[in-house]
Amino acid sequence: MSVAPAAIAQHGLSPAEYAEIETILGRAPNHVELGVFSVMWSEHCSYKSSKRWLRLFPTAAPWVICGPGENAGIVDIGDGQAAVFKMESHNHPSFIEPYQGAATGVGGILRDVFTMGARPVAILNALRFGSPKHPRTRYLAAGVVAGIGGYGNCIGVPTVGGECTFHPSYDGNIIVNAMTVGVVERARIHYARAAGPGNPVVYVGAKTGRDGIHGATMASAEFDADSERKRPTVQVGDPFTEKLLLEACLELMASDAIVAIQDMGAAGLTSSAFEMASRGGLGIALDLDAVPQRETGMSAYEIMLSESQERMLIVLKAGREPEARAIFAKWELDCAVIGTLTESGRMVIRHGGVVVADLPIAPLVAAAPAYDRAWIATPPRAATVNAPPPPSIRAALLTLLASPDLCSKRWIWEQYDHMVMADTVRRPGGDAAVVRLHGSGKALALTADCTPRYCAADPVMGGRQAVAEAWRNLIAAGARPLAITDCLNFGSPERPEIMGQFVGAIEGMAEACRALDFPIVSGNVSFYNETTGSAVQPTPNVGGVGLIADLARATTVALAVGDEVVLIGANAGHLGASLYLREIAGSEAGAPPPVDLAAERRNGAFVAQCITEGWLAACHDIADGGLLVALAEMALAGDTGVTVVPPRLEIPLFAWLFGEDQGRYLVAATSANAERIVASAAAAGVPAVGIGQAAGKDLTVSDADTISLSELRTAHERWLPEYMAATPEASEG
Amino acid sequence: MRAGVIVFPGSNCDRDVAVALGRSMGRPPVMIWHGTSALPDLDLIVLPGGFAYGDYLRPGAIAAHAPIMPAVVAAAHAGVRVLGICNGFQILTEAGLLPGALLRNAGLRFVCRDIHLRVENSYTPFTQLYEDDEVIRIPVAHHDGNYFADNATLAALEDNDQVAFRYCEPGGEVSAAANPNGSLANIAGIFNRDKTILGLMPHPERLADPALGSEDGSRLFDSLVATLS
Amino acid sequence: MKARVHITPKAGVLDPQGKAIQHALAALGFAGIDTVRQGKVIELDLADTDPGRARTRLDEMCRRLLANTVIEDYRIELPA
């Protein structure tokens, strides 16, 4: 019996991939087996278009405990502790049902972290929506934000930071990436490598329903119209159950009963069982009749492919089942032995007492397709642009501060409980969030960064910039940058120009990671973010983690009256691909600002040294919108005015104020320390120049313009709430 | 002072309030699992914030029927001090230990931010280290904090000095703009008639540590320690 | 026996969700809506066969758990 070409196509498999399956099995797969191959060889699980390029990332450093390949990356943070973190996408589900899509995205990334034994301590997100003018944008933004909050608030992990920007390229494909950071005692780290034939395979958590079964399989002829209706494709999150699962897992992990553990995320039971067995070189005998089920009459195919949320698969040490059962019973969760590890190297699945699938694990995983997709480099853009001067500095600054990308995101982060766990030292709105390591004087600094318009203009430079900005944000917060996770969001890898963006971004990111000693320890790739041939801007979101060894050295962005402001880094007034150009001149032209990685490292090291010396009263990195926007943010945070006295300029004033040159910081200090900073910078070969002083209640640019703080604040705070309230949140546009 | 924190499935501020109480008491409180039916000998029972039972049905509704709750109600009637914060306040109203109810926020969104509170009655075991009309800064973080009671209940609360805190401007003015959730009369927290039970939506445990920016919340726990030790 | 319990906000209790729905409907051009109140429906499958006894038990369930009578009214619906 062979499989019809239509069924193969419906499972997202190419004819060549199908032929490989028949070679591996020596026969045609049955329906269940075809489903298993389909999800294991999907882009999402196999990274078939991306893995040859992901190998370019530097992933090692003396402080890296676990790099890519596990559920999340792990770095050493001293005192016997480790930070566990990862970022992941939930773009497509969030576009279909923004609340549940975003909520289950948060739920999934939380499980990736606590499955390794870590207690999650922070959530971040990176959100990219379509044009504010697009009729669906408001509905999607409202739903996504509510969904992220709904899940994180309930489970009680603070959502402390992130990014939210808007661009028409996301009209048909929003980007919803969530990152979780957890902390674990090194001795309690748990991995997902099965070991010990005879050990029981245990299912814990919520029951299995027909949620989110692989879309490609929906049209399969085996299902009648009625079962079609019963099968929801949208997964619904239950943060309450996840909270119980979190506490129950951590309670069980406090003993040594667990051999291996992995969450059932995408492709559910299939991927968790295959991946754990594959890592350990073992087989599993699975009995689907023992799987806790929410619905009646589920087929083996449905059970294997269900993406029901809040479930985990555990390999226990034989004989420890009663302990596990008692803990999960206390938390009112299912706990069922559904299989046994074997030495066969095969996944043998029984349902109704009959073997419904018998697959060799190593060939299935090892032979997963890997493609060297055709790619063409993104053509370079002109290095210089014709940027017109603004009507006035004042008008330009107010426009920028009120623009969708730069305006205050308070409307968003006030819907997130960003303080639960009572360790959030620096709340959202600054450079990086700072979360104290519970019960200590140390902290983690956390940030999520990417500038998609730079990546669209020059993927290599944009990739560099995303990593450099994350590094810079951590430096500015007073942290030692440790490592990053990423979520690479692109269009279809089957188009050479998209693949070229992907290859370029990876090249740039890898260069920056190497130059800054900032390895990538975990990540995720999301392709096919395009609709009818129109792709999103390349969006390699980067999540950075740094360590603040002494909380007393954590910085603030808030200026205080009397502070002298010093600009660190060279200011060439680069306006290509800048927000100034886009918001004031209506142009997205030009090359992005170059990222000189040696200067980046030198300037960052210098700022870190100033922080260690205790010279800085405040510190802020200069990013989107340039120097004056960064200074306005510092003034607003400190509720004090500031007067800028530009040095002698060889470029137009507006370019100096709004250019987006990289590797720059604004630091604030007493005048004595400001002198020390400028002198030390000269010795270190770092450009540094005093540019003004904090005083009064206005932001003044000498000989140009004066704007009151209250006017700045109104402009900065007003846009998003007014936009979100402008029309009712009707269900769909 | 002997203090116990009740842990419901879905509580998520139990650790936070235990840390804050521990700072004031000099030792940690006892953590009490909701599934037990007997309480140890206590001077203070705390119902912490969170989403007990996922806030399903209504916030606090299912927790109010947890196995431990008859013992909590009995202890409260016997005069043991009871403090309910956020979800704990919701549970206290559902359990009938405090009057009124907490509805969905008027703005319909979850709201997490620092707000200002005016201390309305500093002559209680919970508030004695504050001054009357003092303005303190404490965070809120809730979706259902919109205090409602019928007119008679509201009048009785006012007549008996049962309003503990009201949402106010930084200068102390009680205004609609300072009200984060639409609560009647800007009520943020109330006592029972005997001032032995306090429920409040704001989280004093979240600003009870100088590293987090303020110790305005600590004095509530310090007040209890001073009264009950 | 299948039963339904309809729970609605009491008259006089502010219903911000109902108000938001009313506002949204008006913005979509549905005129002439005086009030909107949002409640919830709870469906129960009971072992009882006697409607009178079922109603008594449901009434107790509503008072003790399903509705908060400070802010909510309830109505029990049993098969005729």
Side-chain angles (χ1 to χ4, degrees):
Chain A
M1 184 188 80
S2 74
V3 175
I8 296 167
Q10 280 160 2
H11 280 79
L13 293 162
S14 71
E17 287 168 352
Y18 179 74
E20 179 67 26
I21 292 172
E22 288 208 344
T23 306
I24 289 171
L25 296 182
R27 60 178 167 83
N30 65 30
H31 186 60
V32 176
E33 292 166 338
L34 189 64
V36 166
F37 272 100
S38 134
V39 294
M40 289 303 292
W41 286 9
S42 69
E43 189 68 56
H44 189 92
C45 291
S46 73
Y47 292 86
K48 58 190 171 192
S49 301
S50 59
K51 61 185 168 192
R52 65 175 279 118
W53 297 106
L54 297 175
R55 289 190 197 111
L56 297 180
F57 282 149
T59 60
W63 53 90
V64 173
I65 295 171
C66 174
E70 269 282 348
N71 283 300
I74 309 182
V75 296
D76 191 349
I77 53 175
D79 300 319
Q81 289 188 310
V84 180
F85 55 97
K86 191 180 181 191
M87 189 188 282
E88 203 160 70
S89 69
H90 234 216
N91 304 338
H92 291 96
S94 302
F95 188 75
I96 293 165
E97 211 304 302
Y99 185 98
Q100 292 299 344
T104 50
V106 172
I109 196 65
L110 282 162
R111 282 193 300 282
D112 277 335
V113 165
F114 73 75
T115 194
M116 303 203 73
R119 179 171 286 281
V121 298
I123 299 168
L124 292 91
N125 51 70
L127 311 178
R128 317 285 172 189
F129 296 111
S131 162
K133 295 191 183 75
H134 190 276
R136 259 175 83 88
T137 297
R138 189 178 283 105
Y139 160 73
L140 290 169
V144 164
V145 169
I148 291 171
Y151 209 100
N153 299 347
C154 180
I155 197 168
V157 177
T159 302
V160 297
E163 281 201 305
C164 174
T165 60
F166 300 81
H167 188 273
S169 75
Y170 304 102
D171 282 352
N173 298 84
I174 60 173
I175 301 297
V176 176
N177 294 172
M179 170 176 168
T180 293
V181 184
V183 174
V184 61
E185 297 297 322
R186 287 194 62 167
R188 289 277 171 249
I189 295 173
H190 283 73
Y191 293 102
R193 173 185 295 274
N199 279 335
V201 177
V202 180
Y203 170 119
V204 300
K207 293 185 198 305
T208 296
R210 291 188 172 92
D211 314 68
I213 290 170
H214 202 283
T217 65
M218 292 285 292
S220 170
E222 196 177 288
F223 305 123
D224 60 15
D226 189 49
S227 57
E228 207 60 55
R229 261 192 295 113
K230 284 188 300 204
R231 190 177 308 122
T233 52
V234 176
Q235 304 123 293
V236 173
D238 178 0
F240 170 59
T241 296
E242 179 122 320
K243 168 70 173 169
L244 305 185
L245 187 61
L246 162 68
E247 298 301 337
C249 285
L250 292 185
E251 198 170 320
L252 182 58
M253 286 164 166
S255 75
D256 62 350
I258 295 177
V259 175
I261 175 166
Q262 173 153 346
D263 86 294
M264 294 190 227
L269 182 54
T270 295
S271 67
S272 55
F274 274 87
E275 287 172 14
M276 280 211 291
S278 160
R279 290 193 191 100
L282 292 171
I284 298 181
L286 266 188
D287 177 11
L288 299 187
D289 296 321
V291 170
Q293 292 163 49
R294 200 178 69 219
E295 300 176 58
T296 52
M298 289 186 70
S299 68
Y301 184 95
E302 291 171 323
I303 295 169
M304 287 306 292
L305 267 58
S306 164
E307 294 193 352
S308 290
Q309 301 288 297
E310 293 94 23
R311 303 179 301 161
M312 293 277 197
L313 199 61
I314 299 177
V315 176
L316 281 180
K317 287 183 183 161
R320 305 296 287 270
E321 298 92 326
E323 212 173 304
R325 278 207 187 88
I327 289 171
F328 284 89
K330 172 187 162 188
W331 292 98
E332 298 175 33
L333 293 168
D334 277 301
C335 173
V337 175
I338 64 165
T340 311
L341 290 187
T342 66
E343 289 182 273
S344 69
R346 300 183 75 84
M347 187 71 64
V348 180
I349 304 170
R350 284 187 173 73
H351 188 229
V354 179
V355 173
V356 294
D358 184 350
L359 296 166
I361 292 167
L364 190 152
V365 175
Y371 296 126
D372 184 4
R373 304 251 190 219
W375 60 278
I376 49 173
T378 305
R381 291 194 189 175
T384 57
V385 290
N386 182 20
S392 68
I393 299 298
R394 167 195 177 78
L397 180 61
L398 288 171
T399 300
L400 281 169
L401 280 180
S403 67
D405 285 6
L406 282 179
C407 71
S408 165
K409 299 303 186 303
R410 182 184 302 277
W411 185 91
I412 293 175
W413 50 257
E414 284 193 346
Q415 292 185 61
Y416 303 150
D417 189 337
H418 49 270
M419 296 182 234
V420 64
M421 298 184 87
D423 282 313
T424 307
V425 174
R426 293 283 179 271
R427 300 182 189 175
D431 281 322
V434 176
V435 175
R436 178 173 56 185
L437 290 162
H438 191 68
S440 81
K442 305 197 303 181
L444 295 177
L446 311 169
T447 182
D449 296 287
C450 177
T451 312
R453 65 178 188 281
Y454 294 169
C455 298
D458 178 345
V460 177
M461 210 53 87
R464 276 194 196 181
Q465 194 273 342
V467 173
E469 187 178 350
W471 189 82
R472 204 182 307 141
N473 276 325
L474 298 177
I475 291 278
R480 180 168 79 91
L482 293 177
I484 62 178
T485 180
D486 63 57
C487 191
L488 310 175
N489 308 272
F490 290 78
S492 167
E494 295 163 39
R495 291 166 59 200
E497 62 274 29
I498 299 292
M499 207 54 210
Q501 293 175 340
F502 183 75
V503 171
I506 284 192
E507 185 188 322
M509 291 171 72
E511 287 169 358
C513 289
R514 270 192 300 274
L516 301 172
D517 274 335
F518 201 30
I520 292 177
V521 297
S522 60
N524 174 236
V525 178
S526 171
F527 279 128
Y528 300 101
N529 293 288
E530 64 174 57
T531 304
T532 58
S534 171
V536 297
Q537 287 187 329
T539 310
N541 286 319
V542 167
V545 174
L547 179 67
I548 298 176
D550 175 6
L551 254 180
R553 290 280 182 258
T555 62
T556 165
V557 300
L559 272 184
V561 174
D563 285 349
E564 296 274 351
V565 180
V566 178
L567 167 65
I568 308 286
N571 191 341
H574 186 99
L575 287 167
S578 68
L579 277 185
Y580 174 88
L581 200 62
R582 193 176 90 190
E583 299 296 327
I584 308 297
S587 162
E588 298 189 29
V595 180
D596 175 342
L597 292 167
E600 187 76 55
R601 182 165 183 141
R602 201 161 50 236
N603 297 356
F606 176 72
V607 169
Q609 182 205 329
C610 292
I611 293 170
T612 306
E613 297 283 356
W615 290 343
L616 301 192
C619 184
H620 191 16
D621 95 306
I622 299 180
D624 281 344
L627 185 158
L628 196 59
V629 165
L631 188 62
E633 289 168 351
M634 295 177 80
L636 288 172
D639 201 24
T640 172
V642 62
T643 297
V644 186
V645 184
R648 273 175 56 97
L649 296 177
E650 288 164 10
I651 53 175
L653 177 63
F654 76 92
W656 188 78
L657 292 171
F658 299 116
E660 295 183 0
D661 305 88
Q662 298 295 298
R664 293 184 302 159
Y665 303 78
L666 285 176
V667 301
T670 62
S671 51
N673 282 332
E675 279 176 32
R676 286 191 186 98
I677 291 165
V678 172
S680 305
V686 170
V689 56
I691 61 158
Q693 189 173 31
K697 286 289 174 193
D698 300 316
L699 186 151
T700 299
V701 179
S702 257
D703 302 326
D705 249 326
T706 290
I707 314 162
S708 76
L709 270 192
S710 62
E711 200 175 351
L712 285 175
R713 195 179 300 282
T714 303
H716 193 226
E717 295 289 348
R718 193 170 63 191
W719 185 82
L720 190 54
E722 285 192 354
Y723 171 70
M724 294 307 301
T727 56
E729 286 154 25
S731 61
E732 300 226 2
Chain B
M1 182 174 80
R2 294 157 302 175
V5 177
I6 311 288
V7 182
F8 298 95
S11 292
N12 63 30
C13 302
D14 43 331
R15 187 190 76 177
D16 304 354
V17 77
V19 168
L21 265 173
R23 284 174 63 93
S24 291
M25 293 163 65
R27 66 194 146 80
V30 189
M31 306 306 278
I32 299 160
W33 184 240
H34 75 111
T36 55
S37 56
L39 284 170
D41 213 5
L42 295 172
D43 304 305
L44 173 70
I45 298 167
V46 179
L47 308 189
F51 288 73
Y53 297 92
D55 273 3
Y56 299 147
L57 191 60
R58 290 180 310 278
I62 300 176
H65 296 277
I68 193 68
M69 285 307 288
V72 171
V73 171
H77 287 148
V80 175
R81 306 304 196 276
V82 180
L83 170 63
I85 300 171
C86 198
N87 195 215
F89 184 14
Q90 295 161 340
I91 296 168
L92 288 175
T93 61
E94 284 283 348
L97 287 173
L98 288 173
L102 293 143
L103 308 179
R104 178 63 30 119
N105 292 348
L108 300 180
R109 292 188 298 275
F110 189 95
V111 56
C112 177
R113 62 168 176 256
D114 285 356
I115 43 85
H116 291 91
L117 295 178
R118 194 173 78 190
V119 178
E120 298 290 299
N121 181 348
S122 67
Y123 297 90
T124 78
F126 299 90
T127 54
Q128 59 160 319
L129 296 181
Y130 298 112
E131 304 289 327
D132 269 357
D133 295 333
E134 182 182 348
V135 176
I136 58 174
R137 180 170 63 98
I138 303 274
V140 290
H142 59 248
H143 210 162
D144 300 87
N146 180 352
Y147 185 75
F148 172 84
D150 60 38
N151 288 335
T153 305
L154 210 54
L157 287 175
E158 301 282 3
D159 289 349
N160 300 320
D161 294 322
Q162 284 174 252
V163 177
F165 302 102
R166 280 185 228 271
Y167 302 110
C168 71
E169 308 278 349
E173 188 197 344
V174 172
S175 69
N179 188 337
N181 53 32
S183 289
L184 285 179
N186 281 39
I187 287 173
I190 56 168
F191 301 109
N192 64 337
R193 214 184 157 88
D194 295 339
K195 319 294 186 297
T196 54
I197 304 173
L198 169 64
L200 75 167
M201 288 312 296
H203 287 273
E205 77 278 16
R206 293 190 183 184
L207 275 182
D209 180 345
L212 300 174
S214 166
E215 291 184 282
D216 276 2
S218 307
R219 280 184 287 156
L220 191 144
F221 305 107
D222 292 344
S223 293
L224 286 162
V225 171
T227 308
L228 300 173
S229 295
Chain C
M1 183 188 311
K2 289 201 191 296
R4 271 201 193 114
V5 174
H6 299 261
I7 295 167
T8 45
K10 266 195 159 107
V13 172
L14 178 73
D15 176 14
Q17 294 168 104
K19 268 175 71 175
I21 294 166
Q22 185 178 355
H23 189 72
L25 287 171
L28 290 172
F30 293 99
I33 299 168
D34 289 337
T35 53
V36 177
R37 307 284 280 171
Q38 178 181 317
K40 58 191 154 211
V41 177
I42 298 173
E43 293 184 335
L44 304 96
D45 204 347
L46 304 174
D48 297 82
T49 48
D50 172 26
R53 187 181 134 74
R55 186 171 291 279
T56 307
R57 293 209 313 139
L58 284 165
D59 196 64
E60 193 185 348
M61 289 179 211
C62 287
R63 280 185 286 106
R64 290 192 54 195
L65 180 67
L66 299 181
N68 178 348
T69 54
V70 174
I71 47 172
E72 291 169 331
D73 289 327
Y74 61 88
R75 181 168 60 80
I76 294 163
E77 181 188 336
L78 285 168

